[in-house]
Amino acid sequence: MDANVRYRDFFHGMYTWISGLSDAENHGTLDEIHRFWAADARIVTCGQVKASGIEELRKHFGIYPQQYEEVEIREPFHTYLDSGDEVVIEYDILIRGRQHEGAADEGDAQRQEFRVIAIFSVTDGRISEMRQVTAVKAGDA
């Protein structure tokens, strides 16, 4: 196995799992959180801790069915660097919010696209930390 891509399949599976969380019919998906995330894992976005520990991760990912109609992590990734137990991935993510009762039909106004650079630490085959920065895509390629 090429040492430079040893976690590629793992991250493809993790992002496929995340993309499926917005499907309200997918009730059991949160139970799979342990497959990808360590019990004490953290998500840090733009310098702020968004989730720390499995219960906060559960809450973080638990909002997907309520808030998002669609979450799509685009592959192939723009950048994929695998060095030991550190992985850097640059990718685009498309998010479409759910229409709420009483909201005007906004069509694509609920659709947002972001560029993300994420640095992962992997411990014992699970993500122990995800540090990411995001920016709204504004017509860049």
Side-chain angles (χ1 to χ4, degrees), residues 48-87:
Q48 292 188 326
V49 176
K50 296 295 183 182
S52 182
I54 205 73
E55 286 310 310
E56 286 186 21
L57 287 167
R58 217 177 241 308
K59 288 177 189 173
H60 174 79
F61 291 121
I63 67 167
Y64 280 53
Q66 293 83 33
Q67 289 191 351
Y68 307 126
E69 182 177 317
E70 177 184 16
V71 175
E72 177 190 350
I73 288 94
R74 301 249 167 98
E75 290 190 56
F77 304 129
H78 295 287
T79 303
Y80 180 90
L81 301 170
D82 197 322
S83 177
D85 289 329
E86 296 287 320
V87 177

Side-chain angles (χ1 to χ4, degrees), residues 13-121:
M14 191 268 299
Y15 280 128
T16 299
W17 171 76
I18 286 175
S19 292
L21 290 175
S22 60
D23 182 355
E25 299 298 315
N26 217 352
H27 302 297
T29 353
L30 275 179
D31 293 336
E32 295 181 26
I33 198 167
H34 291 285
R35 192 168 105 200
F36 302 105
W37 299 85
D40 60 348
R42 294 179 354 138
I43 295 176
V44 180
T45 302
C46 298
Q48 292 188 326
V49 176
K50 296 295 183 182
S52 182
I54 205 73
E55 286 310 310
E56 286 186 21
L57 287 167
R58 217 177 241 308
K59 288 177 189 173
H60 174 79
F61 291 121
I63 67 167
Y64 280 53
Q66 293 83 33
Q67 289 191 351
Y68 307 126
E69 182 177 317
E70 177 184 16
V71 175
E72 177 190 350
I73 288 94
R74 301 249 167 98
E75 290 190 56
F77 304 129
H78 295 287
T79 303
Y80 180 90
L81 301 170
D82 197 322
S83 177
D85 289 329
E86 296 287 320
V87 177
V88 178
I89 305 175
E90 177 185 9
Y91 59 92
D92 292 334
I93 183 170
L94 167 75
I95 297 173
R96 188 179 323 271
R98 290 201 181 277
Q99 291 291 329
H100 297 286
E101 188 175 325
D105 182 17
E106 299 177 31
D108 270 355
Q110 291 291 335
R111 179 184 183 272
Q112 295 179 306
E113 210 166 336
F114 299 92
R115 174 72 47 95
V116 179
I117 297 175
I119 302 167
F120 295 92
S121 297

